[in-house]
Amino acid sequence: MALVVDDHLLIVHLAGMTVGWLAQQVAESAVYTTGGWYYRVASASGQDSGNGALSRRIGSLPEPDQHVLRSKIAALPGSIGLIGPRLLVPIMAGLRTPRRLNYLSSEALALAIVAEAMIAV
């Protein structure tokens, strides 16, 4: 089974800080993230990105680890699956749920369908 990770867990995974259930899943599964979540992480990794939750998480790492993490964010490792909108948008538009989903949720659900994956947030 595959695993779709959100922006916070993407940082944890790229920083090599997965533990417990997540570490086991990452070791046994193909790992994916969405374009939206990847964008949020990339935006938060900038030096002048602010003090949001993602920026604080990155900033809390020792400086050498921040540098390594930013390098991985700038060139997402091939081990992280990233499927583009050409495939996902038609699936997103076709989702029928009791409540309307926002873009991030729709993209995550469509990716989970395509990759036959669980979503971890």
Side-chain angles (χ1 to χ4, degrees), residues 39 77 79 104:
Y39 170 74
S79 61
L104 290 175

Side-chain angles (χ1 to χ4, degrees), residues 11-17 45 47 57-73:
I11 291 171
V12 168
H13 177 60
L14 291 175
M17 300 182 328
S45 73
Q47 296 292 345
R57 178 167 276 181
I58 294 167
S60 71
L61 297 171
E63 188 61 39
D65 294 342
Q66 287 182 40
H67 179 71
V68 170
L69 177 60
R70 285 188 172 103
S71 295
K72 289 181 180 178
I73 292 168

Side-chain angles (χ1 to χ4, degrees), residues 77-121:
S79 61
I80 307 292
L82 187 62
I83 297 175
R86 185 179 304 272
L87 179 61
L88 295 183
V89 167
I91 296 167
M92 292 164 63
L95 293 173
R96 298 294 173 253
T97 57
R99 293 182 53 181
R100 186 177 170 133
L101 300 174
N102 65 25
Y103 184 89
L104 290 175
S105 298
S106 297
E107 186 181 23
L109 186 54
L111 176 56
I113 290 167
V114 169
E116 298 179 1
M118 296 184 297
I119 301 172
V121 294

Side-chain angles (χ1 to χ4, degrees), residues 28-67:
E28 299 172 356
S29 306
V31 177
Y32 291 83
T33 196
T34 68
W37 283 332
Y38 177 41
Y39 170 74
R40 288 170 46 92
V41 168
S43 293
S45 73
Q47 296 292 345
D48 299 324
S49 60
N51 60 357
L54 296 171
S55 298
R56 284 193 309 271
R57 178 167 276 181
I58 294 167
S60 71
L61 297 171
E63 188 61 39
D65 294 342
Q66 287 182 40
H67 179 71

